[in-house]
Amino acid sequence: MSNVIRSLSDHYALLLSCWGQPQREEGLVAERLALGLAESLSALDGPVALLRLEFSSSPFDSATLTQVKTICYELNRHLGRLLYLSSSLPEHFQSMVARRMGLLDHRNIGDIMAVLGVVEQALKTGDPLPEVLPTPLVKRTCEFWQVHQVEIELSTDLIRDENYRRFCVAVTAYLMFLSAVDDLVLVMKGALGESHIVRRRLVDAQPRCLV
């Protein structure tokens, strides 16, 4: 399963590489990439189901891995849709997505890559996830909107524009991708717990009198 997360990270990196670029042949292979990863996930159905019948010291049971696999299907679907749009959506609308969603913002990219990397490692080792992670990613995107005063226009004329409708599909797919990553973190923490707990205590800041 960790290899699936690594492949998803690679697909995400590919999306960033070709989004908004004039040469967008990479996006044309989106369907093949998505189908290939879907086949890899389907191949895990048998081994995951067998966990119900086997005694294992692994912290992952069949139900947890089924949840992880389902979320990976969702991530693959949303990334595949975005990769397809990277080759079909006009550059102007791709730039709108990047500016308004922070898709190419370095901090946002780093947060997403970091979370996927932590999940990949946890699937390999079974170690708890750090308590503090840059999640929920959807919330951080909303904060990005507030800081950059992002507004998404919507009118009857715009809705009649096919490319604007595809722009809306891209925005939705990106938000659904982030939401699925957030769900993945919750499932992993539910199975493995948390580590590196940060204790927050209110410190009495009143000055002490020395006698």
Side-chain angles (χ1 to χ4, degrees):
M1 197 73 75
S2 62
N3 290 334
V4 171
I5 298 296
R6 171 164 292 189
S7 295
L8 288 168
S9 297
D10 290 341
H11 293 183
Y12 173 60
L14 176 62
L15 170 68
L16 299 174
S17 299
C18 61
W19 192 266
Q21 299 299 314
Q23 302 297 326
R24 297 177 286 176
E25 289 80 3
E26 294 91 342
L28 297 175
V29 302
E31 184 176 2
R32 186 165 71 247
L33 289 172
L35 286 174
L37 191 53
E39 290 175 358
S40 298
L41 283 166
S42 296
L44 295 174
D45 289 347
V48 169
L50 285 175
L51 285 177
R52 300 174 184 172
L53 308 175
E54 296 179 355
F55 174 78
S56 174
S57 59
S58 170
F60 299 108
D61 57 18
S62 178
T64 299
L65 289 179
T66 298
Q67 284 183 288
V68 171
K69 185 162 60 68
T70 299
I71 294 173
C72 286
Y73 272 118
E74 294 178 16
L75 290 169
N76 185 42
R77 182 171 67 253
H78 301 316
L79 281 175
R81 182 167 296 167
L82 287 166
L83 277 167
Y84 172 76
L85 288 169
S86 73
S87 65
S88 59
L89 189 65
E91 285 185 50
H92 167 65
F93 286 100
Q94 291 194 44
S95 296
M96 285 175 57
V97 174
R99 289 196 310 270
R100 299 183 182 186
M101 304 304 296
L103 189 146
L104 298 179
D105 180 82
H106 284 191
R107 178 173 294 182
N108 293 341
I109 294 170
D111 289 345
I112 294 169
M113 285 295 195
V115 172
L116 290 174
V118 167
V119 170
E120 178 190 342
Q121 188 65 21
L123 283 167
K124 287 181 180 178
T125 64
D127 293 336
L129 277 69
E131 178 201 17
V132 179
L133 288 171
T135 54
L137 294 171
V138 172
K139 179 182 178 182
R140 293 174 75 86
T141 298
C142 293
E143 292 170 351
F144 178 89
W145 292 346
Q146 293 174 351
V147 170
H148 294 83
Q149 299 180 341
V150 173
E151 293 183 1
I152 296 181
E153 300 175 1
L154 194 62
S155 68
T156 304
D157 291 337
L158 286 173
I159 292 299
R160 290 195 181 103
D161 185 342
E162 180 182 355
N163 285 323
Y164 190 83
R165 293 198 300 271
R166 290 157 72 191
F167 159 79
C168 293
V169 170
V171 169
T172 302
Y174 182 66
L175 288 174
M176 294 298 289
F177 165 71
L178 297 181
S179 178
V181 176
D182 289 338
D183 290 342
L184 184 59
V185 170
L186 292 176
V187 170
M188 293 292 291
K189 284 189 173 184
L192 301 175
E194 295 179 328
S195 63
H196 311 304
I197 306 300
V198 178
R199 300 293 183 188
R200 299 178 180 86
R201 295 180 180 178
L202 294 177
V203 179
D204 186 358
Q206 294 182 356
R208 296 180 180 178
C209 296
L210 299 178
V211 179

